[in-house]
C-alpha cells in the first residue's frame, strides 16, 4: 500500500509552530538548549504527536528526532529518524550544532529513569528543569490556539444544550453522565482529557449530584464525589438523582488538541434559598473577576477577591467544598486541563493578554448538592473574554415539572 | 454533615491486601523498605486510592501516610495523616521503625523531581528502583483478582454481544465506537483504562476499520489507526465503514480496578480468502498457545511460536501490522492495560500459574482491514484458561445482509 507524503510539522501549521518554538527559545540562555520528549510538549512544538524528541537550541533551528512512526517526509523542518536517544548527540554534531552548556529536560514530567537516560547524552552540560519553560510558553495562547479553544467552547455548549432533554425521572447520576458523554462524542469530543501530573485521574468528566458532592476526593479537582468504584474515586456514584438535588455537569470539552472547561447546574425540583443564594454569589464572583482580571495583576488577587465575596455573603463554609475545601478557584487550561497558572493564594504569576483561565467558584450545600458556574476565559486588555457561552442560571430538567415533590 | 467510619484498607479486603503486601515483601532484602506513591501501586497495596504514601519494610507492618482525603478511621492498619512526605522519617522513628539501609522508589513511574524529593528523606540509604518489585508482585494474580477479572470479561462479552445490533449502514467508525462506548458504560465500565508509561494515550478503546488499520501509530499499541484528530493518533478516523471492510473492536474492559482485553472482528459484507485465512490463522495461534503456554516456559517462546505459525502460512507480511509491524503479540493485563510480561522476543520471564495474559495475534490485510482475535487468559497448571468468552469467528453486522455490495 502506498503512503501519501506527510510532513512532520503539518502543512499550513509551519508559522504557528514557529511561534510556539519562538516562545520557548526566548526563555533560553545563550548556549543552552531543550530536549523535549513529553507528549504534550512534543505536540506543542510540532503540531503532531510522534514518538521521539524535539531539540530546541537557543541559537539555530529546532531538530526533530523521530523514533516512530516512520511516515514523514517532504517537510521543511530538520528531521532525523533514530532508534534510540543515544544517537542524538553525534547527529547534532554532524548537523553542525555545538554541544550546549546547559540542557533542559522535563524533570517534572519525565520519569526518573527516562530523565537519567537523557542526562547521560550530555555529560558535560549542566541540566536544568525545562518544565517551567514549556509551561510558560504554553500558558499564553496564540490567536490560532484561542480559535481552537473557541471552537471547543461552542461544541461543549452545544452538548450542554442537550442535557435538559437527556434527563429521565428515576435516572442515576451515572446514567445521565453516559448520555452526556454520548452527545459530546457525537459532536466530536475526543474523550481523552489530558492532565498534568498523576493527581487527576478522570474519564470524560464529572456529574455530581446531591450530597455525593461532599465526598472528599484524593485528587486535585475542585469538587469530589465517591465515584462508581473505589478504584476511581471521583464524580458520580450511581445513586438515583433526587428531585431536590442539584446536578453539577462538568464534562470534558476536548474537540481538538485543546479543550475548554465549563460547569453548569441542573435540578428537577425546587431548591432552598441557601443554594439559590450561593449560585447568585458564584455568578457575582465571575462578573467581578471578568472586570478586574486585567493584565498586570497577580493571579492570587483573583483568588482573594473570590474568597472575599463568598465570605462577605456568609458562604465561606460552603465555598469550594464543605467537608473538604479546595485551595484554588480556577486554573489555566489548554492542551492540558490543568495548565498554568493555578488561581490560588500563592500564585504570583502576572496576568497577560492571551492567557486562558477556567474560573470555577463553586459551593457545596449540604442536603442539596453543588452549585456554581465555571467558564473558560481569555485574558484581554480590558478584562476577561468568555468563550463558554451557555446560560448560567440553574436549569430545570425537561420532563421534571410534572413530577411529585 | 456527619461522615461514616471508613477504614483505609476496605473492610473485608484486609486478607487480600495482606497477600499483596506479602508478595512485595518477599522480594525485599533484610533491612530494606519501599516507599510507594504511584497511583496503581497505592491501590494495589491498600485496596483504595488515596493521595499519600505506603511504607513497606522488609520487616514489620506497613504504614500508610495519608495526605488526603482525611476521612479514614477505625481500620486496624497503621496510619498517619501527613501534610508532606518530609514528615515521614521522624514519624517512622517515633513508631519504632529503624531507618532502612536500602529504600525502593518507583523510579520508572515517578517524575524525576518527585523521586529526588523522596530520595532526600533517606540521605543515608541506598536508593533502588522499586518499579520491577511492584510489577512483579502484580504480575501473578490472587484468586480474588482473577475473580474480578473474570467479572470484567463477562461484562465485556455482554457489551460485545450488542455490537452486531448497533451497526447501521452508512455509519462511520467513530459513530459505531460511540454506541459501543455507551453500551460498555451502561454495563458498568468505568471508562478509564489505566496504562503504564506515557506511550499509550487512548480514550475507551479502538474501533479500527479497513485500511485505517494500516496507518502506523506512534504509540505502543498492537495496531494503529489515524484517529479522529492529529492530537490523538490512534484508532477510528471517522470514515464511513465500507461494506467489504473488516471492523476490529478492541474496547475497554475495566468494570472495576482490573480489566480484561478482548478483540473481535465484524463485517457488513463478504471478505477475500486472504482475510479469512488470516483470521483462521489467528485462531490457530491461540489454540496452540492455550495448550503450550505452560508454567515454567519462557514468555518469548509464545512469541516465537506465534510468528512461526504465521510465517508457516505465508502470512508474515500481514502479521501484527503491514506498513508497520508491532514487536509483541500480547502482554500482561490487570490494573494496568499493559502489565508484565510483554509477550515479545526478548522476554525471558518464566510463566507462572496465576499470571494473566492478553494474547492478540492480529493481521492487517490491505484493502480489507484488520483481522484476528484477542483473549485474556489465566495461566494454569495445564495451559491457559480463557476469561473472555465470546464467539471468535468474524461476525456479520445485523441489518447488513440486505444491502447492496
Amino acid at each position: 500500500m502506498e503512503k501519501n507524503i506527510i510532513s512532520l510539522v503539518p502543512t499550513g501549521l509551519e508559522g504557528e509552530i514557529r511561534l510556539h518554538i519562538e516562545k520557548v527559545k526566548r526563555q533560553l540562555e545563550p548556549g543552552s538548549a531543550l530536549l523535549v520528549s513529553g507528549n504534550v510538549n512534543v505536540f506543542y512544538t510540532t503540531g503532531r504527536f510522534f514518538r521521539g524528541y524535539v531539540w530546541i537550541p537557543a541559537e539555530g533551528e529546532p531538530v526533530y528526532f523521530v523514533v516512530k512512526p516512520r511516515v514523514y517526509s517532504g517537510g521543511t523542518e530538520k528531521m532525523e529518524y533514530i532508534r534510540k536517544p543515544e544517537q542524538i548527540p553525534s547527529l547534532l554534531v554532524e548537523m553542525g550544532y555545538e554541544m550546549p552548556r546547559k540542557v533542559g529536560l522535563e524533570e517534572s514530567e519525565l520519569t526518573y529513569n527516562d530523565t537519567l537516560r537523557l542526562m547521560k547524552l550530555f555529560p558535560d552540560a549542566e541540566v536544568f528543569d525545562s518544565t517551567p519553560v514549556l509551561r510558560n510558553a504554553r500558558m499564553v495562547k496564540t490567536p490560532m490556539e484561542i480559535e481552537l479553544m473557541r471552537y471547543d467552547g461552542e461544541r461543549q455548549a452545544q452538548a450542554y444544550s442537550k442535557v435538559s432533554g437527556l434527563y429521565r425521572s428515576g435516572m442515576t447520576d451515572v446514567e445521565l453522565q453516559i448520555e452526556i458523554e454520548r452527545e459530546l462524542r457525537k459532536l466530536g469530543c475526543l474523550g481523552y482529557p489530558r492532565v498534568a501530573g498523576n493527581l487527576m485521574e478522570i474519564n470524560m468528566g464529572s456529574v455530581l449530584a446531591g450530597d455525593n458532592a461532599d465526598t472528599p476526593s484524593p485528587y486535585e479537582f475542585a469538587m469530589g464525589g465517591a465515584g462508581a468504584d473505589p478504584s476511581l474515586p471521583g464524580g458520580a456514584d450511581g445513586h438515583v438523582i433526587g428531585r431536590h438535588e442539584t446536578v453539577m455537569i462538568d464534562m470534558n470539552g476536548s474537540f481538538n488538541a485543546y479543550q475548554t472547561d465549563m460547569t453548569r447546574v441542573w435540578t428537577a425540583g425546587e431548591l432552598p434559598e441557601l443554594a439559590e443564594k450561593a449560585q447568585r454569589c458564584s455568578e457575582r464572583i465571575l462578573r467581578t473577576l471578568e472586570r478586574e482580571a486585567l493584565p498586570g495583576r497577580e493571579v492570587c488577587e483573583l483568588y482573594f477577591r473570590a474568597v472575599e465575596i463568598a465570605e462577605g455573603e456568609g458562604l465561606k463554609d460552603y465555598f469550594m467544598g464543605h467537608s473538604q475545601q479546595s485551595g484554588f478557584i480556577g486554573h489555566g487550561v489548554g492542551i492540558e486541563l490543568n495548565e498554568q497558572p493555578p488561581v490560588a493564594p500563592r500564585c504570583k504569576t502576572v496576568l497577560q493578554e492571551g492567557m486562558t483561565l477556567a474560573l470555577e467558584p463553586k459551593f457545596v450545600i449540604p442536603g442539596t448538592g453543588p452549585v456554581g458556574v465555571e467558564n473558560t476565559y481569555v485574558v484581554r486588555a480590558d478584562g476577561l473574554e468568555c468563550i463558554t457561552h451557555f446560560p448560567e442560571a440553574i436549569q430545570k430538567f425537561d420532563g421534571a415539572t410534572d413530577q411529585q415533590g
Side-chain angles (χ1 to χ4, degrees), chain A:
Chain A
M1 202 182 117
E2 271 195 33
K3 286 285 153 200
N4 296 322
I5 299 294
I6 306 170
S7 61
L8 180 61
V9 174
T11 306
L13 281 188
E14 297 87 348
E16 175 70 16
I17 296 305
R18 207 171 301 127
L19 284 179
H20 297 191
I21 298 276
E22 282 308 316
K23 287 208 290 181
V24 173
K25 285 175 73 164
R26 250 191 309 231
Q27 300 177 68
L28 301 184
E29 289 178 26
S32 69
L34 303 190
L35 187 64
V36 172
S37 63
N39 292 348
V40 164
N41 294 324
V42 164
F43 184 87
Y44 181 72
T45 54
T46 313
R48 200 187 286 286
F49 178 68
F50 66 93
R51 180 169 166 195
Y53 306 84
V54 185
W55 177 254
I56 305 178
E59 297 87 12
E61 291 297 301
V63 186
Y64 296 90
F65 295 100
V66 178
V67 175
K68 66 184 261 199
R70 304 202 162 208
V71 297
Y72 307 115
S73 62
T76 55
E77 69 282 340
K78 294 189 182 185
M79 190 193 80
E80 294 283 339
Y81 285 115
I82 59 170
R83 281 171 294 105
K84 52 184 185 179
E86 285 72 16
Q87 298 171 258
I88 291 174
S90 58
L91 284 168
L92 284 171
V93 170
E94 279 174 35
M95 297 168 91
Y97 286 85
E98 286 191 28
M99 281 297 102
R101 288 184 295 105
K102 294 179 74 171
V103 172
L105 301 174
E106 296 144 293
E107 295 180 355
S108 303
E109 287 154 270
L110 304 187
T111 67
Y112 181 79
N113 282 340
D114 284 347
T115 309
L116 282 198
R117 181 176 181 182
L118 297 182
M119 279 178 172
K120 288 190 186 131
L121 308 184
F122 308 99
D124 301 324
E126 182 189 328
V127 175
F128 66 97
D129 184 5
S130 65
T131 301
V133 171
L134 290 155
R135 287 186 179 161
N136 270 337
R138 283 165 34 208
M139 182 172 68
V140 180
K141 271 66 177 179
T142 66
M144 183 183 279
E145 289 179 294
I146 291 168
E147 285 315 301
L148 286 165
M149 291 181 66
R150 199 186 295 284
Y151 177 84
D152 291 324
E154 285 167 11
R155 286 288 163 133
Q156 196 175 13
Q158 262 185 281
Y160 278 36
S161 74
K162 314 253 185 186
V163 169
S164 292
L166 295 172
Y167 173 81
R168 300 284 175 273
S169 175
M171 215 175 205
T172 69
D173 51 0
V174 171
E175 288 167 347
L176 178 60
Q177 176 163 345
I178 292 168
E179 301 307 321
I180 300 171
E181 289 172 0
R182 177 167 178 253
E183 294 297 334
L184 281 162
R185 292 278 285 137
K186 284 169 73 173
L187 287 162
C189 179
L190 299 174
Y192 185 74
R194 285 192 175 86
V195 298
N198 66 342
L199 290 171
M200 294 181 82
E201 298 186 302
I202 195 167
N203 50 28
M204 275 186 65
S206 168
V207 169
L208 212 47
D211 278 336
N212 181 42
D214 204 30
T215 305
S217 160
Y219 297 118
E220 289 301 301
F221 298 112
M223 297 278 111
D229 188 84
S231 68
L232 198 60
D237 68 350
H239 79 278
V240 172
I241 296 168
R243 180 154 162 75
H244 299 290
E245 287 183 352
T246 51
V247 184
M248 177 172 272
I249 310 293
D250 184 2
M251 296 288 293
N252 179 230
S254 64
F255 296 81
N256 45 42
Y258 296 80
Q259 59 195 309
T260 43
D261 202 358
M262 167 164 56
T263 302
R264 296 293 187 270
V265 173
W266 276 258
T267 188
E270 301 302 316
L271 299 178
E273 172 53 22
L274 181 59
E276 301 281 4
K277 180 181 176 184
Q279 172 72 20
R280 289 192 301 270
C281 182
S282 174
E283 295 175 21
R284 186 167 314 132
I285 289 170
L286 290 181
R287 294 301 87 76
T288 306
L289 299 184
E290 286 164 10
R291 280 194 314 272
E292 297 183 2
L294 296 166
R297 297 190 67 173
E298 287 182 353
V299 170
C300 59
E301 293 180 62
L302 308 187
Y303 176 83
F304 293 123
R305 190 74 168 103
V307 171
E308 180 187 53
I309 295 171
E311 285 191 9
E313 303 210 13
L315 295 167
K316 184 184 173 186
D317 284 352
Y318 314 108
F319 191 49
M320 301 312 297
H322 181 60
S323 294
Q324 175 179 287
Q325 296 181 299
S326 298
F328 64 94
I329 62 135
H331 50 85
V333 59
I335 302 176
E336 289 178 317
L337 183 58
N338 52 340
E339 299 210 338
Q340 293 299 306
V343 186
R346 284 193 279 188
C347 182
K348 299 290 185 188
T349 303
V350 171
L351 290 172
Q352 300 172 59
E353 284 190 61
M355 280 171 54
T356 44
L357 293 177
L359 297 180
E360 49 181 328
K362 295 173 178 173
F363 297 84
V364 172
I365 309 298
T368 297
V371 297
V373 176
E374 176 178 34
N375 284 320
T376 297
Y377 295 99
V378 183
V379 178
R380 301 294 191 188
D382 58 349
L384 299 178
E385 179 200 355
C386 179
I387 58 171
T388 45
H389 296 287
F390 191 76
E392 292 186 348
I394 296 174
Q395 291 171 66
K396 276 281 165 68
F397 288 124
D398 293 349
T401 44
D402 55 345
Q403 291 171 20
Q404 297 295 318

